Amino acid sequence: MDKILVLDFGSQTTQLIGRRIRELGVFSEIVPGESELAPKLSADVKGIILSGSPESVYEKDAPKPDHALYTLELPLLGICYGSQRMMHDQGGRVTPHSKKEYGRARVFVTERSELLQNIPDGFISWMSHGDTIEKLAPDFKVVAQTENGIPAVVKHNSKQVYGLQFHPEVTHCEYGMDVLKNFALTICGAKKEWNVDAYLRAGMEEIKTHVGNQKVLLLISGGVDSSVAAGLLLKALPPDQVHLMYIDTGLMRKHESQEVEANLGSLGAVHIHHINAAADFLKALAGVTDPEKKRRIIGDMFIDVQEREVKKLGIKNAYLSQGTLYTDMIESGKGVGKKAHVIKSHHNVRSPLVEAKRRQGLVVEPLAMLYKDEVRSLGKKLGLSPGIIGRHPFPGPGLAVRILGEITDEKLAVLKQADYIYIDELKQRGLYDKIWQAFCVLLPLRSVGVSGDMRRYGYVLTLRAVVSHDGMTADVFSFPTTDLLEISAKITNSIKEIGRVVYDVSSKPPATIEWE
Ligand code: XMP
């Protein structure tokens, strides 16, 4: 399949670049910006994009691409830092600029080029830079500039090598998709071969070849990702080879375990192992308040329980499968540049058992190249029920990261009940499917309230509802006020321990979706 390689230098929008290329129907792969290029340059790579970066090219430790990049005949597109990098590395000069440009800036075309084909002069671009190209590298020219006279698009005189100062991947950039389309389809000539059917075919083939006639163990959480991974494994392999294990941590939502079991049955699985390990998890978490520590404890306990149960099953040397997504890999700092930020440790990516299995070549992650919405499309193709596919994402550590501070049985019971009411109300009011992720968070504080003539000192519960494309960024859901007020009243009327309900109005960034 034709593909565009994206060299990641640590920009927050690298994943968006990859996504946008896929939206054009072309496969994209993000690799660390400093990767040695030769092993990555298979015949199907049709062009390379260099991402932005929080660094400046003139800093000593700023990430550099393999110098071989500049001797390739492939089309190149540098975005922001990527463009400055190309200038700096080939004899140009990049300096801090007194006129910093953040946000909207008009771009005026000074010379027509294939990259800006069919794009009107004076279009509004999206900028985010403090440095600028002061001197072009030899053989480059400016083909568009901003109203401040800053080079907005530079081009090599004879090669298909372009540099952009603006960010075409950001939705606020007018004609951004057209710029990427001109690059990927016209300049690189990449064929539109990327779609879910193609992924399904390739994914099944890969699973068959990788696993052969060995057994595979997939940990099921009940969420969309692991259900789709299960569906894919069951389609690629005889059901007898596929073992699905559901570890009930006690940190699942109300009725979730029962629903999971029913759903798994409908996927045609013949080996479903339901493990009730709530007591182990809650004991290990007693008194723990630090969020990353909670994640680590839960991750480790997963491994312990899994190892113990796998031993009982007698399938110790089985392949281990996970529903890890592309974004999980990226947010955990894997699969991208050395300097990528670790935002939260996703236990399913970094666990020692998984790493050990990975070293032995015994890990199967059939969704690791997919974004969330692509996973949903794949689930639909696999015939999963809309109830599973439309389910909001749920974090691996479960309700543990939604009870801020110490987890107690009482808090867990309160949160489960509140969350159940909230989600049920959203479904009944036709709001659930309009929201990307909704949940409750129990805060580690109480506030004074009054009911009847009595003062009460109850917990504060936060309602969260966000809209998002892939969880990398998120906006607050504009909740209809009446619904919000009625849901709040229903929660405080039904759960005496909750005295106050608040709605979280923070987007991501700067907040994250979860509170811990
Ligand atoms: P944040 O809170 O980082 O979440 O904006 C982005 C998406 O990831 C989910 N999430 C997790 N999933 N293990 C998981 O499997 C985790 O530790 C974890 N932390 C956050 C979160 O629910 C949201 O969908």
Side-chain angles (χ1 to χ4, degrees):
M1 199 185 297
D2 282 358
K3 74 174 161 197
I4 303 290
L5 217 53
V6 181
L7 301 186
D8 178 42
F9 296 109
S11 156
Q12 293 293 322
T13 56
T14 304
Q15 304 82 31
L16 270 181
I17 302 172
R19 269 214 58 75
R20 298 283 180 251
I21 298 295
R22 289 194 194 181
E23 279 168 27
L24 292 168
V26 176
F27 187 59
S28 63
E29 190 182 350
I30 298 174
V31 299
E34 299 183 275
S35 304
E36 188 192 341
L37 280 173
K40 311 273 180 211
L41 292 178
S42 47
D44 41 19
V45 174
K46 299 297 171 200
I48 301 180
I49 297 180
L50 290 77
S51 85
S53 173
E55 316 273 330
S56 287
V57 291
Y58 44 78
E59 280 163 11
K60 200 169 115 271
D61 290 329
K64 285 190 194 67
D66 180 344
H67 208 79
L69 180 75
Y70 303 119
T71 58
L72 300 176
E73 288 306 315
L74 283 172
L76 306 180
L77 178 68
I79 295 180
C80 195
Y81 176 91
S83 168
Q84 297 169 0
R85 190 75 254 175
M86 292 198 299
M87 293 302 108
H88 181 89
D89 292 352
Q90 298 181 96
R93 191 166 54 245
V94 173
T95 49
H97 199 270
S98 55
K99 278 206 177 106
K100 314 247 181 267
E101 288 178 314
Y102 293 107
R104 296 152 62 94
R106 281 198 184 274
V107 171
F108 296 95
V109 179
T110 50
E111 187 181 320
R112 279 285 155 195
S113 61
E114 272 179 301
L115 191 70
L116 298 180
Q117 217 169 38
N118 302 324
I119 297 177
D121 200 17
F123 71 95
I124 294 172
S125 72
W126 190 261
M127 297 282 182
S128 178
H129 68 107
D131 293 339
T132 190
I133 298 166
E134 191 184 280
K135 183 177 143 229
L136 292 169
D139 286 327
F140 277 85
K141 59 186 170 189
V142 175
V143 293
Q145 60 183 25
T146 68
E147 44 211 328
N148 293 325
I150 286 175
V153 185
V154 298
K155 182 188 179 313
H156 191 277
N157 285 329
S158 53
K159 292 191 195 175
Q160 292 286 29
V161 176
Y162 291 86
L164 301 177
Q165 189 52 76
F166 60 88
H167 288 267
E169 70 278 17
V170 174
T171 44
H172 313 286
C173 181
E174 256 189 349
Y175 300 98
M177 269 308 255
D178 296 85
V179 171
L180 293 173
K181 186 171 160 196
N182 287 341
F183 179 71
L185 302 184
T186 311
I187 296 172
C188 299
K191 290 193 281 302
K192 294 171 78 164
E193 295 167 316
W194 167 252
N195 57 43
V196 169
D197 284 313
Y199 190 86
L200 179 58
R201 281 194 304 276
M204 284 171 58
E205 257 336 286
E206 202 175 312
I207 293 170
K208 276 186 202 152
T209 326
H210 193 155
V211 173
N213 55 11
Q214 299 294 309
K215 295 198 179 342
V216 184
L217 173 70
L218 171 72
L219 283 184
I220 286 281
S221 68
V224 189
D225 308 343
S226 55
S227 301
V228 174
L232 190 52
L233 288 176
L234 288 164
K235 186 141 180 118
L237 302 169
D240 194 42
Q241 267 177 259
V242 182
H243 287 256
L244 304 179
M245 183 181 283
Y246 174 66
I247 297 177
D248 183 351
T249 58
L251 301 161
M252 323 304 281
R253 290 164 290 195
K254 193 171 161 185
H255 295 328
E256 187 158 24
S257 301
Q258 294 89 318
E259 284 172 33
V260 169
E261 203 139 355
N263 284 339
L264 293 182
S266 70
L267 292 176
V270 293
H271 301 298
I272 303 174
H273 313 286
H274 181 149
I275 316 295
N276 185 349
D280 298 305
F281 280 87
L282 298 180
K283 193 168 154 217
L285 286 167
V288 179
T289 54
D290 177 71
E292 284 297 290
K293 203 163 167 202
K294 284 183 188 172
R295 278 193 167 74
R296 257 197 317 279
I297 291 174
I298 294 168
D300 290 348
M301 185 56 75
F302 256 111
I303 309 297
D304 290 352
V305 174
Q306 183 191 359
E307 277 182 345
R308 184 181 80 202
E309 297 299 325
V310 169
K311 236 180 239 160
K312 281 192 206 159
L313 290 176
I315 53 167
K316 199 166 176 285
N317 294 322
Y319 277 77
L320 182 71
S321 185
Q322 307 194 101
T324 317
L325 303 192
Y326 209 33
T327 39
D328 299 334
M329 307 291 283
I330 293 165
E331 290 217 341
S332 297
K334 279 228 151 194
V336 291
K338 276 190 241 159
K339 290 173 199 260
H341 240 50
V342 177
I343 298 174
K344 285 177 187 172
S345 58
H346 288 246
H347 69 261
N348 53 351
V349 181
R350 284 192 174 269
S351 79
L353 180 96
V354 176
E355 292 309 321
K357 287 265 185 190
R358 211 185 285 287
R359 280 194 294 278
Q360 297 169 277
L362 291 178
V363 172
V364 188
E365 291 175 310
L367 312 181
M369 292 307 281
L370 297 183
Y371 290 93
K372 193 87 184 184
D373 53 336
E374 294 173 328
V375 168
R376 291 209 166 101
S377 310
L378 180 61
K380 224 178 263 172
K381 288 263 171 247
L382 287 165
L384 272 84
S385 78
I388 305 184
I389 294 166
R391 205 163 195 178
H392 292 174
F394 187 61
L399 300 181
V401 290
R402 294 178 180 174
I403 295 175
L404 303 201
E406 190 186 355
I407 298 159
T408 62
D409 288 344
E410 186 210 13
K411 288 183 186 170
L412 201 50
V414 167
L415 182 60
K416 278 187 187 182
Q417 206 186 339
D419 200 74
Y420 185 76
I421 295 173
Y422 182 38
I423 299 300
D424 189 49
E425 285 291 323
L426 291 177
K427 285 183 179 163
Q428 287 189 34
R429 291 163 191 267
L431 297 174
Y432 186 82
D433 291 333
K434 296 184 179 160
I435 296 170
W436 197 77
Q437 197 170 6
F439 54 88
C440 298
V441 180
L442 194 64
L443 303 188
L445 50 98
R446 291 174 190 248
S447 80
V448 174
V450 58
S451 54
D453 286 332
M454 304 279 287
R455 276 168 79 79
R456 73 177 182 183
Y457 194 50
Y459 284 114
V460 181
L461 182 85
T462 301
L463 304 182
R464 183 93 164 116
V466 294
V467 286
S468 173
H469 202 55
D470 49 21
M472 303 298 294
T473 58
D475 281 319
V476 179
F477 175 62
S478 299
F479 225 114
T481 312
T482 311
D483 292 298
L484 195 54
L485 301 186
E486 286 173 4
I487 294 173
S488 160
K490 176 136 194 195
I491 291 173
T492 42
N493 286 340
S494 316
I495 308 171
K496 67 174 181 355
E497 291 86 351
I498 295 178
R500 194 176 290 265
V501 174
V502 296
Y503 186 53
D504 178 356
V505 290
S506 324
S507 60
K508 172 184 180 176
T512 49
I513 295 175
E514 303 288 345
W515 274 49
E516 281 198 335

